[in-house]
Every structure is written in structure tokens, then in C-alpha cells.
Amino acid sequence: KQEVTQIPAALSVPEGENLVLNCSFTDSAIYNLQWFRQDPGKGLTSLLLIQSSQREQTSGRLNASLDKSSGRSTLYIAASQPGDSATYLCAVNSSYKLIFGSGTRLLVRP
Amino acid sequence: GAGVSQSPSNKVTEKGKDVELRCDPISGHTALYWYRQSLGQGLEFLIYFQGNSAPDKSGLPSDRFSAERTGGSVSTLTIQRTQQEDSAVYLCASSSAGQVNTEAFFGQGTRLTVV
């Protein structure tokens, strides 16, 4: 059974810092991995999708990496801003459905 | 529409009443998913549709929960005889036809409160 873990559960950083969010999964037989952002009381916004054959994806200040063999992904946020404050979720697609981690709650302090 | 649309955005219902939640996926997306997010909890898979059929209903918590999809588009999640533990945000997502490597897009969710 696929299990997804995210650490840390919460993170508070000053504005401008670079930071890394971690995601690990137990079954390396995945099709893809997707990172989402969730603002309080809102739905999920897709940030990056990494196919199983890819090592990383970049979008603006965000960079996600995938090491399928070790069951790990990281989301790197460069030059963090207060507007980046949200919960970040990673989800693994092992067949047709996404299995989610419990998220990292990020606060970027001005 | 431009994105996944869910209605209502908020629903307050009395314990024991039935509720219907609606999801309108992105046009052309044949895969549709329902998830539930309880307060302070992660996302819990409920059901998956490919077209009008539901090959995986394994996440539905009880027989009070059912879902259907018609015309390969709109889906309705029905909860009968609601209980307080059904209170949660119900999220719907869709992705492109039958391709496991495609991106999933979520709606804004329906916040259900059972009083």
C-alpha cells in the first residue's frame, strides 16, 4: 500500500530565504508525482507535475525533483515571499488515483 | 468552463438529511475523482470515474455515500442520512482521458457542515 509522508509538518521562515520541502513515498512504482498548494479554505492549485521518467521540473521560483528509486521528492522554493504562505501537498500517482501526504504548512514572515 | 467547478461552495444541513454535491469537470476530461478533507486531516480518496463508470469506489466510507456521473461530464456525490462525522470539505478533481501521466486539477471544494 502506497504511503506518502511530508516533512516538516510546519515551517516558518523570514522573507527571502530559500527553502526545501520534502516528500517521501513507500512504493517506487509510480506514474508521476504532483505538488499542490492549498490556501486556507480553498481548493488545491497544481504547482508542478513530474513524470516518473523525469528528474526535475521548474516553474518560476519553484523547482521539484524526483528520485523514484529512493522514493523521494523535494520542492525547492527560491527567494520566498509572504505570498508563498500556504500548505504544500505532494501526491503520488501509483495507478489512476493520487495518494496525498499530509502537507507542510509554510509561513513566510515579512 | 475554464476549471473544475463545484457547487454549492458551502452547505449546512441537519443530521439525518440527504445532501447532493455537484462537480463539473474541465471540458474533455474523462477522469474524475472525489476526495474528502476533514478538519486538520489529509485528503482521503473516495471514488474514481473513467467516463461514466466507476472502476474504484473503494474509498466510499459507508453505503450512505454514492456517486454517479452522467454524459461523461457532471458528477454528483450523494450522502444519505448525514451524520456529524460527514462534516468535511469535499473536493473534486479531473484529468485528461485515460492517461495516467496527466495533471489533475481540483475544484474549490464544497464545505459540508452537519449540525
Side-chain angles (χ1 to χ4, degrees), chain A residues 49-86:
Chain A
L49 171 72
I50 310 179
Q51 309 291 359
S52 61
S53 59
Q54 296 176 320
R55 299 284 291 183
E56 65 179 299
Q57 280 285 350
T58 297
S59 176
R61 293 183 294 108
L62 305 179
N63 175 279
S65 68
L66 175 64
D67 184 342
K68 202 171 68 164
S69 61
S70 67
R72 294 181 182 179
S73 176
T74 62
L75 179 66
Y76 175 83
I77 303 177
S80 58
Q81 303 170 358
D84 294 331
S85 298

Side-chain angles (χ1 to χ4, degrees), chain A residues 6-8 10-11 19-23 35-36 47 63 65 73-77 86-89 103-106:
Chain A
Q6 290 187 248
I7 53 172
L11 183 62
L19 57 100
V20 174
L21 308 181
N22 297 290
C23 173
W35 282 93
F36 294 89
L47 298 174
N63 175 279
S65 68
S73 176
T74 62
L75 179 66
Y76 175 83
I77 303 177
T87 296
Y88 290 80
L89 296 156
T104 293
R105 192 169 62 254
L106 173 66

